[in-house]
Amino acid sequence: MRLGVLILVLILFVISLFTLYAQGPSVTVITPKAGDSFNPGDNIFISWDSEGVNHYQVCYTTDPNATCSPTNGLTYCNSFGWQIIVFHPYFPKNSTWTAPSISSETVRVAVEGHDAFHNMIAIGCTGNFKIAPPPKQLGSVEGIVKNANAAALLANASISGNTTKSTLTDSNGFYSLTELEVGAYEIKVDADKYIEAKASIEISVNQTLQKDFILQLSGDVTNDCKVDIFDLANIGKCFGEVPQGTCEKSDINKDGAINITDLATVGKTFGN
């Protein structure tokens, strides 16, 4: 009875050895999985299982055409479109990789199994996964530019600020700055014969901020939406004075003095 059991165990052991030999060495990558998504700088946990392998080498590719199959002992890493991640003999079957600064949806990881002579005898690869920066947080601002009495819509007014984006108002005085990154901005508006206007705004994600501007006619000291003899008289009265109190508006160019430059500005827009 005991002899029979021993023979049965021996037979099963031989069968298992034969099966393992028939299958040959193998490597199966467990993580990361196809379809996973990571940001540059993330720690990516790479794990695998293997049979009949002495030590390992781990690499990655972004080339969708890079092959993943044994190459008669030749290594893939640092060749054939693959780049080395880590070479670590006899370590546990896992490694942590800091995702590089790339943007690709066709990233794959390969784990090579090597024999004692450093020949590649097995390889396992992941499916495609993604490494890319997170999408930018964007918003926009739009509005209407009018003159001081809000009766005229100003076309071709320049809209700019502390951003690389700029635009001009259309024939209806409308402007729009789109795809602005979330944050604080100072927007300024310039139009011929009008005093520059500025505003501080805050852009929120996926929101369109409404911001209208009303521009004062340059030289309109009396603020009656026209430049006439009364504006000249006001500057003449305050000429040479400190721009404060009733004379503050006579300093049109805001240079701290009421002088010939302010008179020239009135002359330029006189009659508008």
Side-chain angles (χ1 to χ4, degrees), residues 15 24 42 57 73 80 84 91 100 117 120 152 166 181 190 230 237 248 259:
I15 291 174
D42 284 353
Q57 189 162 259
F80 302 104
I84 188 74
F91 274 27
F117 301 98
M120 187 178 75
S166 62
E181 293 192 35
D190 286 302
F230 297 103
K237 178 183 176 182
E248 183 176 0
N259 50 32

PDB file of all heavy atoms in Angstrom, residues 15 24 42 57 73 80 84 91 100 117 120 152 166 181 190 230 237 248 259:
ATOM      1  N   ILE A  15       5.701  13.933 -13.829  1.00  0.00           N
ATOM      2  CA  ILE A  15       4.778  14.604 -14.762  1.00  0.00           C
ATOM      3  C   ILE A  15       4.892  16.119 -14.636  1.00  0.00           C
ATOM      4  O   ILE A  15       4.911  16.851 -15.635  1.00  0.00           O
ATOM      5  CB  ILE A  15       3.335  14.125 -14.534  1.00  0.00           C
ATOM      6  CG1 ILE A  15       3.191  12.650 -14.969  1.00  0.00           C
ATOM      7  CG2 ILE A  15       2.358  15.009 -15.312  1.00  0.00           C
ATOM      8  CD1 ILE A  15       1.834  12.063 -14.640  1.00  0.00           C
ATOM      9  N   GLY A  24       8.629  25.498 -20.684  1.00  0.00           N
ATOM     10  CA  GLY A  24       9.784  26.371 -20.782  1.00  0.00           C
ATOM     11  C   GLY A  24       9.652  27.569 -19.858  1.00  0.00           C
ATOM     12  O   GLY A  24       8.638  27.765 -19.183  1.00  0.00           O
ATOM     13  N   ASP A  42       4.289  60.112 -11.392  1.00  0.00           N
ATOM     14  CA  ASP A  42       3.608  59.100 -10.580  1.00  0.00           C
ATOM     15  C   ASP A  42       4.529  57.899 -10.367  1.00  0.00           C
ATOM     16  O   ASP A  42       5.361  57.573 -11.213  1.00  0.00           O
ATOM     17  CB  ASP A  42       2.323  58.621 -11.274  1.00  0.00           C
ATOM     18  CG  ASP A  42       1.188  59.621 -11.174  1.00  0.00           C
ATOM     19  OD1 ASP A  42       1.342  60.623 -10.463  1.00  0.00           O
ATOM     20  OD2 ASP A  42       0.150  59.390 -11.833  1.00  0.00           O
ATOM     21  N   GLN A  57      15.191  41.939 -16.230  1.00  0.00           N
ATOM     22  CA  GLN A  57      15.459  43.292 -16.689  1.00  0.00           C
ATOM     23  C   GLN A  57      14.137  43.901 -17.142  1.00  0.00           C
ATOM     24  O   GLN A  57      13.350  43.230 -17.812  1.00  0.00           O
ATOM     25  CB  GLN A  57      16.470  43.279 -17.842  1.00  0.00           C
ATOM     26  CG  GLN A  57      16.965  44.655 -18.250  1.00  0.00           C
ATOM     27  CD  GLN A  57      18.238  44.581 -19.061  1.00  0.00           C
ATOM     28  OE1 GLN A  57      19.323  44.816 -18.547  1.00  0.00           O
ATOM     29  NE2 GLN A  57      18.113  44.253 -20.335  1.00  0.00           N
ATOM     30  N   GLY A  73      17.963  35.097 -27.335  1.00  0.00           N
ATOM     31  CA  GLY A  73      18.916  35.465 -26.293  1.00  0.00           C
ATOM     32  C   GLY A  73      19.269  36.930 -26.252  1.00  0.00           C
ATOM     33  O   GLY A  73      19.841  37.412 -25.275  1.00  0.00           O
ATOM     34  N   PHE A  80      15.766  48.005 -30.035  1.00  0.00           N
ATOM     35  CA  PHE A  80      14.481  47.620 -30.626  1.00  0.00           C
ATOM     36  C   PHE A  80      13.332  48.538 -30.192  1.00  0.00           C
ATOM     37  O   PHE A  80      12.186  48.132 -30.116  1.00  0.00           O
ATOM     38  CB  PHE A  80      14.140  46.164 -30.291  1.00  0.00           C
ATOM     39  CG  PHE A  80      15.162  45.172 -30.738  1.00  0.00           C
ATOM     40  CD1 PHE A  80      16.030  44.599 -29.822  1.00  0.00           C
ATOM     41  CD2 PHE A  80      15.287  44.828 -32.082  1.00  0.00           C
ATOM     42  CE1 PHE A  80      16.989  43.689 -30.232  1.00  0.00           C
ATOM     43  CE2 PHE A  80      16.244  43.914 -32.496  1.00  0.00           C
ATOM     44  CZ  PHE A  80      17.099  43.345 -31.574  1.00  0.00           C
ATOM     45  N   ILE A  84      15.607  51.089 -20.958  1.00  0.00           N
ATOM     46  CA  ILE A  84      15.783  50.409 -19.687  1.00  0.00           C
ATOM     47  C   ILE A  84      15.090  51.163 -18.552  1.00  0.00           C
ATOM     48  O   ILE A  84      15.104  52.398 -18.511  1.00  0.00           O
ATOM     49  CB  ILE A  84      17.285  50.238 -19.362  1.00  0.00           C
ATOM     50  CG1 ILE A  84      17.491  49.364 -18.127  1.00  0.00           C
ATOM     51  CG2 ILE A  84      17.959  51.594 -19.202  1.00  0.00           C
ATOM     52  CD1 ILE A  84      17.240  47.925 -18.360  1.00  0.00           C
ATOM     53  N   PHE A  91      15.931  39.935  -7.375  1.00  0.00           N
ATOM     54  CA  PHE A  91      15.050  40.721  -6.523  1.00  0.00           C
ATOM     55  C   PHE A  91      13.643  40.102  -6.517  1.00  0.00           C
ATOM     56  O   PHE A  91      13.308  39.277  -7.373  1.00  0.00           O
ATOM     57  CB  PHE A  91      14.951  42.153  -7.038  1.00  0.00           C
ATOM     58  CG  PHE A  91      16.046  43.050  -6.528  1.00  0.00           C
ATOM     59  CD1 PHE A  91      17.291  42.544  -6.155  1.00  0.00           C
ATOM     60  CD2 PHE A  91      15.834  44.410  -6.409  1.00  0.00           C
ATOM     61  CE1 PHE A  91      18.290  43.373  -5.704  1.00  0.00           C
ATOM     62  CE2 PHE A  91      16.847  45.255  -5.958  1.00  0.00           C
ATOM     63  CZ  PHE A  91      18.080  44.735  -5.614  1.00  0.00           C
ATOM     64  N   PRO A 100       8.036  58.833 -16.523  1.00  0.00           N
ATOM     65  CA  PRO A 100       8.806  59.920 -17.141  1.00  0.00           C
ATOM     66  C   PRO A 100       7.902  61.047 -17.645  1.00  0.00           C
ATOM     67  O   PRO A 100       6.680  60.894 -17.734  1.00  0.00           O
ATOM     68  CB  PRO A 100       9.513  59.223 -18.301  1.00  0.00           C
ATOM     69  CG  PRO A 100       8.598  58.092 -18.663  1.00  0.00           C
ATOM     70  CD  PRO A 100       7.992  57.623 -17.373  1.00  0.00           C
ATOM     71  N   PHE A 117      23.452  33.126 -17.569  1.00  0.00           N
ATOM     72  CA  PHE A 117      24.474  33.691 -18.446  1.00  0.00           C
ATOM     73  C   PHE A 117      24.017  35.013 -19.066  1.00  0.00           C
ATOM     74  O   PHE A 117      24.604  35.495 -20.029  1.00  0.00           O
ATOM     75  CB  PHE A 117      24.832  32.688 -19.544  1.00  0.00           C
ATOM     76  CG  PHE A 117      25.355  31.388 -19.010  1.00  0.00           C
ATOM     77  CD1 PHE A 117      24.511  30.294 -18.886  1.00  0.00           C
ATOM     78  CD2 PHE A 117      26.666  31.274 -18.587  1.00  0.00           C
ATOM     79  CE1 PHE A 117      24.979  29.094 -18.386  1.00  0.00           C
ATOM     80  CE2 PHE A 117      27.143  30.071 -18.077  1.00  0.00           C
ATOM     81  CZ  PHE A 117      26.299  28.974 -17.965  1.00  0.00           C
ATOM     82  N   MET A 120      18.497  36.409 -22.629  1.00  0.00           N
ATOM     83  CA  MET A 120      17.056  36.508 -22.447  1.00  0.00           C
ATOM     84  C   MET A 120      16.395  35.205 -22.900  1.00  0.00           C
ATOM     85  O   MET A 120      16.551  34.792 -24.051  1.00  0.00           O
ATOM     86  CB  MET A 120      16.468  37.681 -23.225  1.00  0.00           C
ATOM     87  CG  MET A 120      14.988  37.916 -22.932  1.00  0.00           C
ATOM     88  SD  MET A 120      14.284  39.319 -23.802  1.00  0.00           S
ATOM     89  CE  MET A 120      14.152  38.645 -25.447  1.00  0.00           C
ATOM     90  N   ALA A 152     -22.505 104.035 -27.462  1.00  0.00           N
ATOM     91  CA  ALA A 152     -21.789 103.534 -28.633  1.00  0.00           C
ATOM     92  C   ALA A 152     -21.002 102.279 -28.272  1.00  0.00           C
ATOM     93  O   ALA A 152     -20.320 102.227 -27.241  1.00  0.00           O
ATOM     94  CB  ALA A 152     -20.853 104.609 -29.175  1.00  0.00           C
ATOM     95  N   SER A 166      -4.629  87.725 -26.976  1.00  0.00           N
ATOM     96  CA  SER A 166      -5.181  89.070 -27.165  1.00  0.00           C
ATOM     97  C   SER A 166      -6.210  89.001 -28.285  1.00  0.00           C
ATOM     98  O   SER A 166      -6.260  88.033 -29.048  1.00  0.00           O
ATOM     99  CB  SER A 166      -4.085  90.083 -27.500  1.00  0.00           C
ATOM    100  OG  SER A 166      -3.443  89.734 -28.714  1.00  0.00           O
ATOM    101  N   GLU A 181      -5.816  79.654 -18.760  1.00  0.00           N
ATOM    102  CA  GLU A 181      -5.610  78.799 -17.605  1.00  0.00           C
ATOM    103  C   GLU A 181      -6.207  79.450 -16.365  1.00  0.00           C
ATOM    104  O   GLU A 181      -6.217  80.678 -16.234  1.00  0.00           O
ATOM    105  CB  GLU A 181      -4.121  78.524 -17.407  1.00  0.00           C
ATOM    106  CG  GLU A 181      -3.512  77.684 -18.511  1.00  0.00           C
ATOM    107  CD  GLU A 181      -2.122  77.186 -18.163  1.00  0.00           C
ATOM    108  OE1 GLU A 181      -1.868  76.892 -16.980  1.00  0.00           O
ATOM    109  OE2 GLU A 181      -1.287  77.093 -19.082  1.00  0.00           O
ATOM    110  N   ASP A 190      -7.691  99.009 -24.857  1.00  0.00           N
ATOM    111  CA  ASP A 190      -7.225 100.227 -25.518  1.00  0.00           C
ATOM    112  C   ASP A 190      -8.072 100.474 -26.759  1.00  0.00           C
ATOM    113  O   ASP A 190      -8.340  99.552 -27.523  1.00  0.00           O
ATOM    114  CB  ASP A 190      -5.760 100.089 -25.946  1.00  0.00           C
ATOM    115  CG  ASP A 190      -4.799 100.168 -24.785  1.00  0.00           C
ATOM    116  OD1 ASP A 190      -4.815 101.180 -24.077  1.00  0.00           O
ATOM    117  OD2 ASP A 190      -4.035  99.195 -24.590  1.00  0.00           O
ATOM    118  N   PHE A 230     -15.381 123.531 -23.143  1.00  0.00           N
ATOM    119  CA  PHE A 230     -15.428 123.455 -21.680  1.00  0.00           C
ATOM    120  C   PHE A 230     -14.268 122.614 -21.120  1.00  0.00           C
ATOM    121  O   PHE A 230     -13.757 122.896 -20.040  1.00  0.00           O
ATOM    122  CB  PHE A 230     -16.775 122.876 -21.228  1.00  0.00           C
ATOM    123  CG  PHE A 230     -17.937 123.731 -21.602  1.00  0.00           C
ATOM    124  CD1 PHE A 230     -18.761 123.398 -22.676  1.00  0.00           C
ATOM    125  CD2 PHE A 230     -18.212 124.907 -20.901  1.00  0.00           C
ATOM    126  CE1 PHE A 230     -19.831 124.194 -23.029  1.00  0.00           C
ATOM    127  CE2 PHE A 230     -19.289 125.705 -21.248  1.00  0.00           C
ATOM    128  CZ  PHE A 230     -20.101 125.351 -22.317  1.00  0.00           C
ATOM    129  N   LYS A 237      -7.803 126.510 -16.716  1.00  0.00           N
ATOM    130  CA  LYS A 237      -7.975 126.968 -15.341  1.00  0.00           C
ATOM    131  C   LYS A 237      -6.991 126.285 -14.397  1.00  0.00           C
ATOM    132  O   LYS A 237      -6.489 126.903 -13.452  1.00  0.00           O
ATOM    133  CB  LYS A 237      -9.407 126.696 -14.905  1.00  0.00           C
ATOM    134  CG  LYS A 237      -9.703 127.074 -13.467  1.00  0.00           C
ATOM    135  CD  LYS A 237     -11.133 126.706 -13.103  1.00  0.00           C
ATOM    136  CE  LYS A 237     -11.410 126.992 -11.629  1.00  0.00           C
ATOM    137  NZ  LYS A 237     -12.782 126.597 -11.239  1.00  0.00           N
ATOM    138  N   GLU A 248      -8.161 117.348 -10.652  1.00  0.00           N
ATOM    139  CA  GLU A 248      -7.603 116.003 -10.807  1.00  0.00           C
ATOM    140  C   GLU A 248      -7.825 115.449 -12.219  1.00  0.00           C
ATOM    141  O   GLU A 248      -6.932 114.858 -12.825  1.00  0.00           O
ATOM    142  CB  GLU A 248      -8.214 115.062  -9.777  1.00  0.00           C
ATOM    143  CG  GLU A 248      -7.641 113.655  -9.831  1.00  0.00           C
ATOM    144  CD  GLU A 248      -8.186 112.773  -8.730  1.00  0.00           C
ATOM    145  OE1 GLU A 248      -9.007 113.247  -7.920  1.00  0.00           O
ATOM    146  OE2 GLU A 248      -7.794 111.587  -8.688  1.00  0.00           O
ATOM    147  N   ASN A 259      -0.306 120.135 -17.928  1.00  0.00           N
ATOM    148  CA  ASN A 259       0.626 120.881 -18.767  1.00  0.00           C
ATOM    149  C   ASN A 259       0.213 120.809 -20.231  1.00  0.00           C
ATOM    150  O   ASN A 259      -0.927 120.440 -20.550  1.00  0.00           O
ATOM    151  CB  ASN A 259       2.049 120.358 -18.565  1.00  0.00           C
ATOM    152  CG  ASN A 259       2.115 118.834 -18.702  1.00  0.00           C
ATOM    153  OD1 ASN A 259       1.359 118.246 -19.473  1.00  0.00           O
ATOM    154  ND2 ASN A 259       3.014 118.210 -17.950  1.00  0.00           N
TER     155      ASN A 259
END
